[in-house]
């Protein structure tokens, strides 16, 4: 099973501040995803990233969100001006190079916006 | 719009017995289905998947059945163990060749009693 790590594990920020969440796949991967889970709700798709560009994004992923792969390994999610409703667990997921369509998730970052 | 539905929020079974978790979907474009296990404040852990070209896939104690005509799938755990207690999410993606974003159900909390 491919390994994915995420940093930080918990981020507390003030409303209106920018946050950057990081995902570090251990080996080579092609597809990258961000999902989030608001407490008590289901896991929701945010954005998919393939070949260094966004392949699909959800309605949640508005202009306040951005993703990039700055150094070819890390994969980041930036929220420019956080809102209270952005408080959630954020999960990175990857699909490996084997051609199998299974997504493997990281442990998540808990974002708390005060 | 719930494209993936898990109608049972919770299920309780005795250790050693069979656990059956159910999932229904509405989008006929879905062609790949997955089950994940999740603990609080952790990322979803992949359990088992099934492609729409199959109607059954087995991996150890876990078996997933797919009924395409009914748009229904189920996860069987035999025998159930206390360590299986967690929230189980059904997820779907498709069609193949797209972004492969996952659409999740709301989850079923499984409790296996010793």
């Amino acid at each position: 099973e491919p390994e994915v790590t995420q940093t930080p594990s918990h981020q507390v920020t003030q409303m209106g501040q920018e946050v950057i969440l990081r995902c570090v796949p251990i080996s080579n991967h092609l597809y990258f995803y961000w999902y989030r889970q608001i407490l008590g709700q289901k896991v929701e798709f945010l954005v998919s990233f393939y070949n260094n560009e966004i392949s699909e994004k959800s309605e949640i992923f508005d202009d306040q969100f951005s993703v990039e792969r700055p150094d070819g390994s890390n994969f980041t999610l930036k929220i420019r001006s956080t809102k209270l409703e952005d408080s959630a667990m954020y999960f990175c997921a990857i699909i490996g190079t084997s051609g199998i369509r299974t997504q493997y998730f990281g442990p998540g970052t808990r974002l708390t916006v005060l | 719009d719930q494209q993936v539905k898990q109608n049972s929020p919770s299920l309780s079974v005795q250790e050693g017995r069979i656990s059956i978790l159910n999932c229904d979907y509405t989008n006929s474009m879905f062609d790949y289905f997955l089950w994940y296990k999740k603990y609080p404040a952790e990322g979803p852990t992949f359990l088992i998947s099934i492609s729409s070209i199959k109607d059954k896939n087995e991996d150890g104690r876990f078996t997933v059945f797919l009924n395409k005509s009914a748009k229904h799938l189920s996860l069987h755990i035999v025998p159930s163990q206390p360590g299986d207690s967690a929230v189980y999410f059904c997820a779907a993606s498709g069609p193949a060749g797209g972004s492969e974003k996952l659409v999740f159900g709301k989850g079923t909390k499984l409790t296996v009693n010793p």
Side-chain angles (χ1 to χ4, degrees), chain B residues 27-101:
Chain B
N27 190 337
S28 58
M29 299 301 288
F30 290 148
D31 62 353
Y32 194 67
F33 305 89
L34 310 92
W35 285 94
Y36 289 89
K37 176 180 180 180
K38 188 178 181 303
Y39 295 110
E42 294 185 10
T45 300
F46 170 70
L47 282 175
I48 193 168
S49 62
I50 188 166
S51 165
S52 60
I53 62 173
K54 294 185 175 181
D55 54 18
K56 177 182 175 181
N57 189 26
E58 191 171 356
D59 184 2
R61 296 186 298 114
F62 302 92
T63 303
V64 56
F65 295 91
L66 175 62
N67 182 334
K68 283 176 292 186
S69 61
K71 293 191 176 67
H72 176 83
L73 62 155
S74 60
L75 174 68
H76 293 210
I77 307 174
V78 183
S80 301
Q81 300 172 353
D84 296 329
S85 297
V87 178
Y88 288 77
F89 288 94
C90 170
S93 69
S99 73
E100 300 287 359
K101 71 175 184 183

Side-chain angles (χ1 to χ4, degrees), chain A residues 1 31 33 35 37 41-45 48 55-56 89 91 95 100-108 110, chain B residues 2 4 31-32 34 36 38 41-44 46 49 89 93-96 98-102 104-106:
Chain A
E1 179 173 321
Y31 292 87
Y33 302 82
Y35 294 83
Q37 185 183 29
Q41 299 186 21
K42 62 181 177 180
V43 178
E44 301 175 288
F45 167 77
S48 59
S55 56
E56 186 171 354
M89 285 288 290
F91 300 106
I95 290 179
I100 298 174
R101 296 164 63 184
T102 297
Q103 291 184 31
Y104 295 92
F105 284 75
R110 183 194 300 178
Chain B
Q2 286 190 71
V4 177
D31 62 353
Y32 194 67
L34 310 92
Y36 289 89
K38 188 178 181 303
E42 294 185 10
F46 170 70
S49 62
F89 288 94
S93 69
S99 73
E100 300 287 359
K101 71 175 184 183
L102 293 177
F104 282 83
K106 291 185 175 181

Side-chain angles (χ1 to χ4, degrees), chain A residues 56-70:
Chain A
E56 186 171 354
K57 57 184 180 180
S58 71
E59 293 178 352
I60 303 169
F61 195 88
D62 61 22
D63 292 344
Q64 294 301 312
F65 290 86
S66 63
V67 291
E68 63 176 5
R69 202 172 172 209

